Amino acid sequence: MAHAPGKPIDVHTWSTPNGWKIPIMLEECGLPYRVVPVNIGRGDQMAPDFLAISPNNKIPAIVDPDGPDGQPITIFESGAILQYLSRKTGCFLPADERARVKVEEWLMWQVAGFGPMLGQTHHFRIYAQEKIPYAIERFTTEAQRLYGVLDRQLAGRDYVAGELSIADIAILPWAKYHEKQGVDLADLPDVRAWIARMLARPGVQRGFAAI
């Protein structure tokens, strides 16, 4: 899909790791957008208007008034949104099939494993009213394992799949909060360097500041 700047994309989101992915992507792509806050602390995600664009009642979701064939499109699920925006702009998803598959592998790794497991780690370590030692140990151990996987992948690379891609944009907002997940980066030098490299990008900084 050709990139043709037009009306702003509405980004229904909130200040969470999943919620930051899309503003970061839009800033990096240079697309105009407008943040529509969905305060999940007070239950805005359960409102009928939001349900109409996000059937799973989860952030983020977007409404692009300039979708395929110039018609509006609504999209939910962060991974699907990132892939759509890559196709729309030609940014951060390689044209070469082998390179694209590598990016998509790590994007799926994030949306299916890294994000959900770290979300459970946040919950049981920080937010659960009852501190359950078994759950805390189980998810903290899994978080540490996943960071080990990421560190090995980053060895000798600046970015997860070679060049900067939607995989990096998806992973970063979760990895930024490694301390909350009980993960010490002292023994993960490649993850530590990658986080610093990503956070130094002006587009990333603007994306985090957008919500």
Side-chain angles (χ1 to χ4, degrees):
M1 189 183 302
H3 175 202
K7 297 179 181 178
I9 293 172
D10 281 345
V11 184
H12 298 254
T13 192
W14 194 241
S15 53
T16 72
N18 280 336
W20 279 306
K21 293 176 189 177
I22 308 311
I24 290 171
M25 177 66 171
L26 290 164
E27 289 286 351
E28 288 283 351
C29 291
L31 281 176
Y33 69 99
R34 181 182 67 162
V35 169
V36 181
V38 180
N39 187 332
I40 61 176
R42 69 184 184 199
D44 288 1
Q45 72 275 22
M46 306 307 292
D49 287 351
F50 184 65
L51 179 65
I53 62 171
S54 182
N56 198 32
N57 295 111
K58 300 287 186 180
I59 62 154
I62 68 168
V63 180
D64 183 0
D66 183 25
D69 302 321
Q71 298 302 309
I73 187 171
T74 65
I75 309 170
F76 73 104
E77 287 295 331
S78 62
I81 298 169
L82 290 172
Q83 289 176 306
Y84 168 78
L85 292 173
S86 285
R87 293 192 300 270
K88 182 181 178 74
T89 63
C91 296
F92 308 124
L93 188 63
D96 175 76
E97 179 66 7
R98 289 185 181 273
R100 183 167 63 245
V101 165
K102 188 59 62 179
V103 169
E104 290 174 342
E105 283 180 330
W106 287 97
L107 175 64
M108 296 307 130
W109 177 82
Q110 190 282 311
V111 298
F114 195 67
M117 290 300 103
L118 299 188
Q120 293 296 323
T121 308
H122 283 179
H123 175 76
F124 286 107
R125 288 177 63 89
I126 301 169
Y127 301 112
Q129 292 184 353
E130 179 185 356
K131 300 304 178 187
I132 304 171
Y134 171 77
I136 293 171
E137 180 180 0
R138 180 180 190 276
F139 287 108
T140 301
T141 298
E142 177 63 1
Q144 293 166 346
R145 186 192 72 81
L146 288 164
Y147 273 91
V149 172
L150 181 59
D151 196 65
R152 290 191 296 274
Q153 176 62 17
L154 283 164
R157 297 181 178 90
D158 285 343
Y159 299 103
V160 173
E163 301 295 327
L164 178 66
S165 73
I166 53 176
D168 300 280
I169 291 170
I171 296 166
L172 177 67
W174 286 100
K176 182 183 179 184
Y177 293 97
H178 56 90
E179 292 180 352
K180 289 185 176 182
Q181 300 145 13
V183 174
D184 185 350
L185 298 185
D187 296 324
L188 300 167
D190 292 298
V191 172
R192 185 171 66 246
W194 170 79
I195 290 174
R197 189 176 303 119
M198 290 294 293
L199 291 177
R201 297 181 65 86
V204 170
Q205 295 170 11
R206 291 192 300 269
F208 275 117
I211 310 169

